[in-house]
Amino acid sequence: MNRPVFNIEEVNKIIRNRRSLFVAQFKENDPVEDHIIQELLENANWAPTHKLTEPWRFTVFTGEGLHKLADFQSQLYKERSQKNGNFIEATYQKLKENPLKTSHIIAIGMKRDLKANLPEMEEVAAVAMAVQNMYLTASARGLAAYWGTGGPTFWPEAKPFFGLEEEDKLMGFFYVAKPNMDRWPQGRRGPISEKVQWVRE
């Protein structure tokens, strides 16, 4: 295979203009086509992965599947919070209603390959890079998307619902929808010079 030729200006443009857009900026009742979601997932599959463990696992919720996720996470929140005496009705309603305002929600899992004998951090980083590939693809498509770690992300008892074992990790949810506006958010970053040291000698 010959070395591919890339358009570096376009690469820089998509990386520097990737943005997170949230539920309030989602266009409701106008779903993204499944083949575009499949494109996001295919690009995620080409993230770097040490020893080719490919630890990313995705569960895609759309259509009636969004109701299934909404019911699961809101009910689990209710059970957990009532045990602890800190139930908040607004949180319950948000968990029950927000999934229904989006087109697709992709649950992000890290499947641990214990035989590979890799530090967990490397597997978490591989999944994060897979999500970045989805982020870039979504932005290139002009879609609204963000990675959230709310709801059941850190609840161990939620893992089986997403096909994960005890040693695996649920790393949050990637929300995708069409935007309800034409304006693209302005980015904010401090100068890279403040975050880099060069050692030349």
Side-chain angles (χ1 to χ4, degrees):
M1 177 181 173
N2 293 331
R3 182 175 66 86
V5 177
F6 301 105
N7 183 326
I8 189 60
E9 287 80 13
E10 285 299 310
V11 172
N12 290 342
K13 181 179 175 183
I14 186 58
I15 291 173
R16 297 175 193 180
N17 287 281
R18 179 216 54 80
R19 296 289 180 269
S20 294
L21 281 81
F22 301 97
V23 171
Q25 298 158 313
F26 286 1
K27 187 177 182 181
E28 297 182 39
N29 303 313
D30 187 7
V32 177
E33 296 86 348
D34 282 349
H35 75 88
I36 293 177
I37 302 300
Q38 189 62 44
E39 180 181 61
L40 268 64
L41 295 165
E42 184 63 35
N43 287 347
N45 198 42
W46 287 94
T49 165
H50 192 185
K51 293 189 180 180
L52 295 177
T53 58
E54 303 176 36
W56 42 84
R57 295 293 184 274
F58 303 114
T59 304
V60 183
F61 297 89
T62 191
E64 287 302 311
L66 294 169
H67 290 271
K68 186 174 182 179
L69 174 61
D71 291 344
F72 169 76
Q73 66 178 15
S74 59
Q75 188 59 36
L76 184 55
Y77 165 75
K78 189 180 224 179
E79 292 169 7
R80 287 172 54 92
S81 59
Q82 285 180 340
K83 282 180 188 174
N84 301 328
N86 58 1
F87 176 78
I88 301 170
E89 180 66 29
T91 301
Y92 173 80
Q93 291 299 330
K94 184 177 177 182
L95 290 169
K96 195 168 182 64
E97 295 168 7
N98 273 2
L100 310 183
K101 299 175 182 178
T102 188
S103 171
H104 292 70
I105 298 176
I106 304 171
I108 304 160
M110 184 275 283
K111 192 75 176 169
R112 196 83 165 101
D113 184 348
L114 299 176
K115 291 179 288 187
N117 197 30
L118 290 174
E120 184 183 70
M121 182 187 74
E122 291 192 15
E123 301 291 73
V124 169
V127 175
M129 287 186 279
V131 175
Q132 173 75 341
N133 284 0
M134 292 198 292
Y135 243 135
L136 294 173
T137 308
S139 288
R141 285 281 188 178
L143 298 174
Y146 77 97
W147 181 3
T149 55
T153 300
F154 303 109
W155 302 343
E157 66 269 41
K159 289 180 183 182
F161 183 80
F162 303 99
L164 299 170
E165 304 291 337
E166 184 179 349
E167 67 271 14
D168 305 329
K169 281 190 180 299
L170 180 61
M171 290 177 55
F173 302 88
F174 193 66
Y175 293 72
V176 186
K178 293 178 182 176
N180 62 11
M181 59 183 189
D182 294 326
R183 192 178 66 81
W184 200 246
Q186 185 72 31
R188 298 186 305 276
R189 291 291 186 277
I192 187 62
S193 59
E194 296 177 357
K195 306 158 191 169
V196 177
Q197 294 185 47
W198 292 70
V199 181
R200 299 189 184 276
E201 297 179 354

